[in-house]
Amino acid sequence: WFAKNEQLALECLRSSQNVLRVPQREWNVCVNFNWLACAARGQLPGQGSTLIHFATPPGRLDVSDLQGAAMDGYKMEDVYYLELCVLNELCENGDDIFASNE
C-alpha cells in the first residue's frame, strides 16, 4: 500500500512513527544514512526516544533473501539489510539488533 506523501506524513505524525520517504529529491545512501543517524539519536519528528521499531525483526531475516549479486545491483528490499548493518556499526548495542526477534 502506497499512500500519497501528505497522507503518509499525517498518519506517521498521528502514530508517532517515521518512514523514510524522499519524494522531493533522489534517494541515495547518504540521504538514507542521515535519516538512520537521526533515528539512532532519537531526533526524528515525534520520535521522543532512541527506540526504533523494526518492520521485520532483524533476528528473523534470512540473508539468502538478498538478490543483489544475482541481479548485478540491488532491489529496494535489500536496503533494509544495509540499514541494519549501519545501525549495528553506529550503535553501542549493535549486537542486540540482530538478536531481536520482536
Side-chain angles (χ1 to χ4, degrees), residues 35-68:
W35 187 85
L36 277 175
C38 288
R41 292 186 304 242
Q43 296 177 337
L44 296 176
Q47 188 177 4
S49 76
T50 57
L51 183 66
I52 298 175
H53 299 275
F54 297 106
T56 300
R60 294 186 187 171
L61 293 176
D62 182 359
V63 293
S64 67
D65 290 340
L66 293 170
Q67 300 295 318

Side-chain angles (χ1 to χ4, degrees), residues 8-9 11 14 20 24 30 33-34 45 48 51 63 65 68 88 90 98 102:
L8 179 62
E11 292 300 322
R14 282 186 189 151
L20 174 60
Q24 66 274 38
C30 293
F33 179 82
N34 186 50
L51 183 66
V63 293
D65 290 340
N88 179 62
L90 284 178
F98 290 100
E102 299 178 17

Side-chain angles (χ1 to χ4, degrees), residues 7-8 12 15 17 21 33 43 49 60 74 91 96 101:
Q7 182 181 357
L8 179 62
C12 286
S15 63
Q17 302 294 317
R21 193 157 200 181
F33 179 82
Q43 296 177 337
S49 76
R60 294 186 187 171
Y74 64 89
C91 301
D96 296 339
N101 284 312

Side-chain angles (χ1 to χ4, degrees), residues 1 4-5 24 26 38 44 87 96 100:
W1 174 74
K4 292 185 178 186
N5 292 326
Q24 66 274 38
E26 188 174 331
C38 288
L44 296 176
L87 287 171
D96 296 339
S100 174

Side-chain angles (χ1 to χ4, degrees), residues 2 6 12-13 27-28 34 36-37 39 45 48-49 51-52 60 67 71 78 80-81 84-85 87-88 90 97:
F2 290 96
E6 298 82 21
C12 286
L13 284 173
W27 176 92
N28 62 48
N34 186 50
L36 277 175
S49 76
L51 183 66
I52 298 175
R60 294 186 187 171
Q67 300 295 318
M71 296 172 29
D78 295 346
Y80 184 56
Y81 289 82
L84 294 173
C85 290
L87 287 171
N88 179 62
L90 284 178
I97 292 170

